[in-house]
Amino acid sequence: MPEHNEVQAPDLSVVIIGYNDAARLPTAVRSVLEQTLHNVEVVIVDDHSGDDTPKVAERLAAQDPRVSYHRLPENSGGCSKPRNTGIDHARGRYVMFLDSDDVLDRHACLNMLQAAEENDADLVSGLCIRRHVNRSGLVEDVPWWPDLYTRRQVLDSVADMPGLLRDTLSTNKCYRREFLNEHAIRFPEGFHWEDLLFSATAYLNARRIVLIPNPVYYWEVMVRAAAKSISNQRSNIGNVRDRIGIHRRVDAVLDGFPDEAGRAEIRLAKAVKFIEHDLVLYLRELPYQTPEYIEECRALFRDYLLTLPLEQAFAQCAHRVAVAGAYLLVREDWPNLVTVSENLLDRTRITTDLVERDGRVYWCDDGHLDDALGRIALDVTEAGYHQLSLAESNLASRLTGLEVVASGRRTGRIRLTGETVNSLGRVPADVPLSAHFEFGPGQRAVRKYRVKLTEVRQEGSRIRWSGEVDVSRTVRPLGVVDPMFELRLRLKAGDLGTMATRITAIDLPPGAAQLELPARPLLTRLVGDRWTVRINHRGVVTLQLSARNFVARRVNASFETNATGTGGGRLLRLVRRGMRLAQKANQTRVKRRAFQLFARLPVKRGSVVFESHLGLSYSDSPKYLYQALRRHEYTGKMYWSYAENGNGFPKEAALLRRMSWGYVWALARAEFWVDNQGFPQWMGKRKQTTYIQTWHGTALKTMGVNTPQVRAMLTEQREALVHGVGRFDAFLVRSEYDIRTLVDAFEMRAEPLRTGYPRNDVLLGPEVAERSAALRARFNLPADRTVLLYAPTFRQRSGRFEPGFSFEDFAREFGRTHVLLVRAHYLNTVAVPPAARGAVQDVSHHPDVSELFLASDALVTDFSSVMFDYALLDRPMLFFAADKADYTRDRGTYFDLAAEAPGPYSTDPEAFFKSIKALTVEDSHAETRRAFARRYGEYDQGDAAEQVYRRFFAKGGK
């Protein structure tokens, strides 16, 4: 065993544990030794590996005196004993943990140590990044509980932030070693889910906790890996027993927490986390397990749920379907619980009929709605499923029958029957129906095979369908790279549109599991010759390519051996990557090179590429600048980028799908780029191209270098941001305030154009009254009601936005006199309960907010930049910010909105409703509002589009 000669104790010890991981151990060790904090030590603990791990570890210890190596005498079967051994051998003042297949951020140790010492903390926690790596080697980084790490926070107790118990990883944290020893905090041996108990015990005992927004730990997650990690082996009932057992032990530790009020808050937060996270992990796969597993798993979870404060937890949980699952599990309603599991595998899928009662939407009834707790638990109104159009819906389609019609050497004709949920009568009985089967190797696959169904009909609450397909002749895989084809249904319902959904099943129909049909791969039968029907990990019915002939078995075996052997799957990854590029040619790296090549070609004189909000809509200043060019009969070629579909774009527009080859080609050769957010950063604009950045709003919230997120960026991340902004040639501003905030915050070199925003031209001038009247008529808004436009700002992450007041209360209070148009931020959604319909209308899908401005009588907002534009109309504005404290603390603002708001400002629903009533009485904020408009929109004069046209496009293009 190597001896350490250093006299100075290390500042920080990193305990690296591993088992049979000789290949990846050096990378983990290197991530510690190359830290910007040099006074570190590495304590390698080998859980009695049977591969070359001992040799590799001994070599690493011999090469650097900061590394020590310890081998357990026998395998412990988990992570607890190795980590405990590491703590016992650590010499640093602080301790961190690292798994041999993961790595630390280069600055992790320094950031952790500084935060600990500056605040005399027992525990420091930083951002963990889950690095999802699929079999083809593609990587996607997903932050773990990012909302906890938006800024640096110092907590005197976990009671200051009970939600911290959501992050129970031990590896993204740094612990004072004396603290661990003083409280005898160790990992529980003989249990899995050891992190949960260790971290929770540390949280509950820590005198001071610091959270830092910096990434510290990269957790490598192999998507659909051949051998699942211990924590992912959820089909093992022992895994369930350990998880519930660990939670009970955490509860026992919590019982000793000295602050009674804090204990109750922590217990509630832990219950919410258990329902939304722990329970969901098992529920989504439960119907696919063995009967014995299902019975014991249900009993274990049911018994534990009954120990939790369910009524409070159900009311607080945001994940409404998870709450429904917890309730149905406690009430032992297995049929309805299965529909919850199906939804949890795909959160967009509507798997139940839903029930509407008293203006609320419930997951199911079956007598549960007579129970007060059931009404709380099964209320999924806020999930918004009832608001979706057919095209947006994902109505569950289930396979009910499969039979062979004809089978031969080259023929495999089968008949498939099934049903689709028609939730809340989404598809009326008199609507004509048609449908196709669709087979594809992935959701974004280029090659898809469609077959029209012979029968589609409504039958009660279900749409029944059936059809025949010769899979042997119709579905032609390449082979090797696409061994699985999913089965989907495309349903067209008259003018309601078309819905695409995967076809699922819990169990295959009798005989289907043993069914084999001839397959004809494009790479010949040397790579496969049989189709089998299977259910994949998401419950989707699939065709899977297999090999019966000797040569095909050998070919596939060679790929599989390479994929799982010491070669790390290089051959299979190369083949898959090459074939994918050949089929789709859509990888960023390839397109970056192509862009560089295309940019050497001559500029296409006069050509313009427009884009708004990353291609999501035809809107904002790019729209109004485009219209100005059309009015002037501009002769240059004009393109519009779209991200999802071409709906809403002008019929005459030349559309380019964002990130397509046409998009790359057009941008590489365009003379002008016009957008309001940012074209892909990897596109290096050529000198001959003029980039006109119209931007998307004046800033109340801090931006760029003024935000902690940007200040915490690594050098290369800052450089990427600077590069992206550095491409701008012209940046449109509305006032000198924009220059002091936006221009300075992004450290722009672009020329600020003091023109105002083209989108605001329609808000000024003598035609405003006529435009407003026309738009109110177009939106079918009643002339005798006051129209309020509610436009809140973006809330940290994409998903459902909670307004902070009840839409139903608004409808009861103002339904006869007002209409509330709700326009959520384009990255958020909002749910309007049926009881509020009419009085409250969701207009989030309308792309042009300027038109909504004109159609309204007053604006309701919070911190959104729409306030600066709406002020130009000189109409009343109301400000409602229920989450003011949290929002301004997390992001920061350039000025105090409460002090400068040009209208009534409130943070509670009662005061907000009073301000609505006062609108009809007086307008005491008129002068303040006009001064506000002058200050922040001094350059908006109604001719911004004309100014930009004259400056750049008046020569006419070609």
Side-chain angles (χ1 to χ4, degrees):
M1 198 77 61
E3 295 291 330
H4 284 271
N5 299 317
E6 294 178 285
V7 176
Q8 181 185 8
D11 289 320
L12 195 151
S13 299
V14 180
V15 176
I16 301 180
I17 65 169
Y19 174 69
N20 285 349
D21 201 13
R24 291 181 290 190
L25 178 60
T27 302
V29 172
R30 188 164 57 250
S31 79
V32 181
L33 297 180
E34 295 179 354
Q35 287 286 304
T36 49
L37 176 69
H38 299 295
N39 191 23
V40 296
E41 76 163 347
V42 176
V43 181
I44 301 174
V45 183
D46 169 25
D47 198 8
H48 203 78
S49 297
D51 67 350
D52 287 338
T53 295
K55 294 180 180 178
V56 172
E58 287 174 351
R59 184 175 69 249
L60 292 168
Q63 290 172 347
D64 196 307
R66 294 177 293 170
V67 180
S68 66
Y69 166 55
H70 310 273
R71 176 176 169 84
L72 298 187
E74 59 182 6
N75 181 256
S76 69
C79 300
S80 293
K81 190 172 183 61
R83 285 179 181 156
N84 289 339
T85 301
I87 297 173
D88 293 340
H89 285 88
R91 300 181 301 118
R93 291 181 295 121
Y94 295 89
V95 179
M96 291 179 65
F97 303 102
L98 174 63
D99 292 344
S100 60
D101 53 348
D102 301 328
V103 295
L104 295 180
D105 183 85
R106 186 165 179 263
H107 306 287
C109 293
L110 181 61
N111 288 332
M112 290 284 208
L113 182 67
Q114 287 180 343
E117 291 185 329
E118 288 172 3
N119 297 281
D120 190 23
D122 289 330
L123 189 159
V124 180
S125 189
L127 184 63
C128 172
I129 307 294
R130 284 170 57 96
R131 180 157 282 174
H132 293 260
V133 185
N134 68 19
R135 288 185 176 181
S136 298
L138 297 179
V139 176
E140 178 186 10
D141 285 348
V142 181
W144 181 254
W145 300 118
D147 289 355
L148 298 174
Y149 300 100
T150 57
R151 61 189 177 89
R152 177 173 289 213
Q153 300 184 71
V154 181
L155 313 175
D156 291 324
S157 164
V158 70
D160 294 342
M161 185 187 283
L164 190 55
L165 266 73
R166 287 180 174 271
D167 180 7
T168 51
L169 295 178
S170 65
T171 48
N172 61 331
K173 297 172 178 61
C174 171
Y175 313 85
R176 190 164 57 85
R177 188 161 62 91
E178 288 183 5
F179 160 71
L180 296 179
N181 292 332
E182 177 185 351
H183 295 277
I185 300 174
R186 292 294 188 270
F187 292 90
E189 297 184 13
F191 282 86
H192 300 312
W193 307 109
E194 66 288 332
D195 272 23
L196 199 155
L197 178 59
F198 183 90
S199 295
T201 305
Y203 282 147
L204 292 167
N205 284 281
R207 177 174 47 82
R208 186 163 294 134
I209 301 168
V210 182
L211 308 182
I212 61 175
N214 313 79
V216 299
Y217 194 92
Y218 289 90
W219 176 5
E220 301 284 342
V221 182
M222 294 300 296
V223 179
R224 299 175 63 191
K228 290 186 177 181
S229 67
I230 291 171
S231 60
N232 283 327
Q233 294 171 5
R234 288 187 284 273
S235 59
N236 182 342
I237 194 63
N239 188 293
V240 185
R241 295 174 190 143
D242 280 0
R243 193 166 197 127
I244 298 297
I246 286 289
H247 271 281
R248 292 186 183 276
R249 293 179 70 169
V250 173
D251 291 340
V253 177
L254 181 56
D255 287 340
F257 192 73
D259 178 359
E260 185 176 348
R263 186 191 318 141
E265 289 295 318
I266 295 169
R267 194 180 300 281
L268 176 59
K270 180 179 176 297
V272 170
K273 183 259 182 182
F274 180 83
I275 292 168
E276 294 189 330
H277 179 69
D278 300 68
L279 178 62
V280 165
L281 290 176
Y282 294 87
L283 274 190
R284 63 189 181 195
E285 299 174 0
L286 189 57
Y288 303 92
Q289 310 293 351
T290 65
E292 296 78 17
Y293 177 101
I294 292 172
E295 182 178 0
E296 183 173 355
C297 183
R298 289 167 62 188
L300 286 167
F301 275 101
R302 182 174 60 252
D303 291 347
Y304 183 68
L305 283 168
L306 290 172
T307 70
L308 305 179
L310 289 183
E311 184 172 352
Q312 293 172 283
F314 285 175
Q316 197 172 107
C317 283
H319 191 337
R320 300 311 304 168
V321 179
V323 175
Y327 173 82
L328 294 169
L329 202 158
V330 168
R331 294 293 184 259
E332 301 188 63
D333 184 343
W334 176 245
N336 281 313
L337 185 61
V338 169
T339 67
V340 169
S341 298
E342 292 178 301
N343 172 273
L344 294 176
L345 281 172
D346 182 348
R347 293 277 299 276
T348 68
R349 190 161 60 210
I350 305 173
T351 57
T352 185
D353 291 326
L354 299 177
V355 176
E356 186 175 332
R357 181 177 293 184
D358 300 326
R360 305 297 292 176
V361 176
Y362 299 91
W363 188 258
C364 60
D365 187 354
D366 291 338
H368 299 306
L369 299 186
D370 297 330
D371 172 18
L373 185 62
R375 288 193 297 275
I376 295 172
L378 298 176
D379 189 336
V380 293
T381 309
E382 305 309 321
Y385 293 129
H386 60 286
Q387 290 187 172
L388 302 176
S389 66
L390 180 66
E392 296 168 324
S393 299
N394 184 2
L395 302 176
S397 295
R398 303 182 179 104
L399 185 71
T400 58
L402 188 157
E403 59 180 323
V404 178
V405 177
S407 181
R409 184 173 180 274
R410 301 174 64 86
T411 299
R413 180 172 288 276
I414 57 176
R415 181 175 184 81
L416 302 168
T417 58
E419 62 180 24
T420 296
V421 172
N422 188 18
S423 183
L424 297 175
R426 183 65 45 79
V427 180
D430 58 349
V431 172
L433 301 175
S434 62
H436 287 79
F437 289 132
E438 184 176 271
F439 299 86
Q443 188 173 9
R444 298 181 179 180
V446 172
R447 291 179 302 105
K448 296 178 182 179
Y449 303 100
R450 292 181 182 173
V451 177
K452 190 171 183 178
L453 275 67
T454 54
E455 183 180 14
V456 189
R457 70 182 190 283
Q458 284 213 33
E459 190 175 299
S461 63
R462 295 289 183 270
I463 297 172
R464 310 287 181 183
W465 43 263
S466 63
E468 294 184 7
V469 55
D470 188 338
V471 296
S472 304
R473 295 179 180 273
T474 302
V475 186
R476 301 294 305 279
L478 285 168
V480 179
V481 296
D482 54 355
M484 183 181 75
F485 275 65
E486 293 180 343
L487 176 59
R488 306 187 194 97
L489 180 77
R490 294 185 65 85
L491 175 69
K492 180 174 174 55
D495 295 333
L496 295 178
T498 300
M499 177 201 70
T501 181
R502 295 178 172 94
I503 296 176
T504 63
I506 300 295
D507 295 303
L508 289 174
Q514 292 74 41
L515 182 66
E516 289 190 354
L517 299 167
R520 301 169 59 206
L522 298 175
L523 295 179
T524 78
R525 295 185 180 183
L526 294 178
V527 295
D529 58 3
R530 286 290 181 272
W531 284 120
T532 58
V533 182
R534 295 289 182 264
I535 299 173
N536 73 3
H537 65 293
R538 296 171 63 88
V540 180
V541 179
T542 64
L543 291 176
Q544 296 194 10
L545 185 64
S546 60
R548 177 181 291 180
N549 71 75
F550 175 77
V551 176
R553 287 202 307 271
R554 289 293 298 273
V555 169
N556 281 276
S558 66
F559 278 110
E560 289 304 318
T561 299
N562 185 267
T564 58
T566 57
R570 292 191 187 94
L571 177 58
L572 185 57
R573 285 201 299 271
L574 285 173
V575 171
R576 283 178 171 162
R577 186 170 296 175
M579 295 303 292
R580 185 173 56 254
L581 290 174
Q583 293 177 69
K584 300 171 71 175
N586 68 345
Q587 298 303 315
T588 300
R589 184 179 302 173
V590 174
K591 289 189 174 176
R592 181 186 289 116
R593 292 173 181 170
F595 181 88
Q596 294 168 350
L597 178 63
F598 297 160
R600 295 180 181 178
L601 299 173
V603 165
K604 188 172 183 180
R605 304 300 299 176
S607 61
V608 192
V609 178
F610 292 91
E611 183 173 286
S612 179
H613 296 305
L614 307 179
L616 291 175
S617 61
Y618 172 65
S619 64
D620 211 76
S621 291
K623 166 186 173 178
Y624 289 95
L625 184 54
Y626 171 80
Q627 290 180 347
L629 269 61
R630 293 272 301 168
R631 284 195 304 273
H632 286 283
E633 298 181 348
Y634 181 72
T635 57
K637 184 68 175 179
M638 295 188 289
Y639 302 94
W640 266 98
S641 156
Y642 72 98
E644 294 178 351
N645 59 64
N647 296 338
F649 288 85
K651 291 183 179 180
E652 79 279 355
L655 299 183
L656 300 169
R657 179 178 286 276
R658 198 171 195 270
M659 306 307 295
S660 68
W661 276 110
Y663 178 81
V664 175
W665 170 262
L667 281 169
R669 299 194 60 207
E671 185 176 1
F672 299 100
W673 293 0
V674 179
D675 89 317
N676 65 351
Q677 200 152 334
F679 288 108
Q681 287 197 359
W682 52 266
M683 291 184 172
K685 184 189 70 69
R686 63 200 293 177
K687 292 181 180 180
Q688 298 90 338
T689 298
T690 299
Y691 191 163
I692 304 169
Q693 175 55 254
T694 68
W695 203 239
H696 51 274
T698 296
L700 167 65
K701 302 173 287 290
T702 56
M703 307 290 287
V705 297
N706 298 321
T707 64
Q709 293 85 351
V710 172
R711 289 198 297 269
M713 281 182 175
L714 302 178
T715 301
E716 53 268 27
Q717 294 173 315
R718 284 286 296 273
E719 289 176 350
L721 178 62
V722 170
H723 168 73
V725 173
R727 297 175 301 170
F728 303 162
D729 295 297
F731 186 82
L732 272 58
V733 298
R734 307 178 59 230
S735 66
E736 291 303 305
Y737 170 83
D738 283 352
I739 294 175
R740 294 192 302 272
T741 54
L742 291 170
V743 173
D744 290 349
F746 287 114
E747 300 176 338
M748 287 186 201
R749 298 189 298 270
E751 176 188 1
L753 292 187
R754 294 169 170 84
T755 59
Y757 286 165
R759 72 184 185 196
N760 289 340
D761 291 348
V762 296
L763 307 181
L764 299 162
E767 304 88 2
V768 168
E770 290 79 3
R771 290 177 187 144
S772 295
L775 285 165
R776 287 179 72 108
R778 175 178 149 196
F779 295 145
N780 197 29
L781 295 171
D784 60 344
R785 295 190 191 182
T786 300
V787 178
L788 304 178
L789 173 63
Y790 177 40
T793 192
F794 174 56
R795 285 308 191 281
Q796 291 307 323
R797 62 167 61 184
S798 302
R800 189 73 62 201
F801 165 71
E802 302 298 335
F805 66 94
S806 168
F807 288 146
E808 292 163 306
D809 288 347
F810 177 91
R812 281 190 292 269
E813 188 80 21
F814 301 104
R816 295 182 179 180
T817 56
H818 292 68
V819 175
L820 186 70
L821 304 180
V822 183
R823 188 181 193 271
H825 188 277
Y826 70 92
L827 292 175
N828 292 135
T829 56
V830 69
V832 178
R837 287 177 181 167
V840 182
Q841 300 178 25
D842 183 8
V843 294
S844 301
H845 292 294
H846 188 76
D848 193 340
V849 72
S850 297
E851 293 183 343
L852 297 174
F853 287 166
L854 289 165
S856 65
D857 296 302
L859 173 73
V860 178
T861 189
D862 44 19
F863 307 102
S864 174
S865 64
V866 296
M867 69 178 81
F868 299 104
D869 302 87
Y870 197 85
L872 298 173
L873 283 172
D874 195 21
R875 296 176 186 176
M877 294 190 285
L878 291 77
F879 297 85
F880 175 66
D883 59 348
K884 173 185 181 294
D886 292 336
Y887 191 88
T888 55
R889 180 188 63 219
D890 291 343
R891 178 69 181 266
T893 59
Y894 285 114
F895 61 84
D896 183 1
L897 180 62
E900 295 192 31
Y905 180 95
S906 54
T907 58
D908 67 90
E910 184 178 355
F912 171 50
F913 281 12
K914 286 182 179 178
S915 67
I916 295 176
K917 292 176 182 177
L919 272 179
T920 58
V921 178
E922 60 178 339
D923 187 3
S924 60
H925 295 272
E927 190 52 46
T928 305
R929 187 172 60 245
R930 290 162 192 155
F932 187 86
R934 289 191 297 270
R935 184 183 312 122
Y936 298 108
E938 58 185 304
Y939 299 131
D940 276 312
Q941 301 298 322
D943 63 348
E946 288 298 313
Q947 287 192 61
V948 175
Y949 169 77
R950 290 195 299 271
R951 173 73 179 271
F952 297 103
F953 302 100
K955 293 181 179 179
K958 291 181 182 177

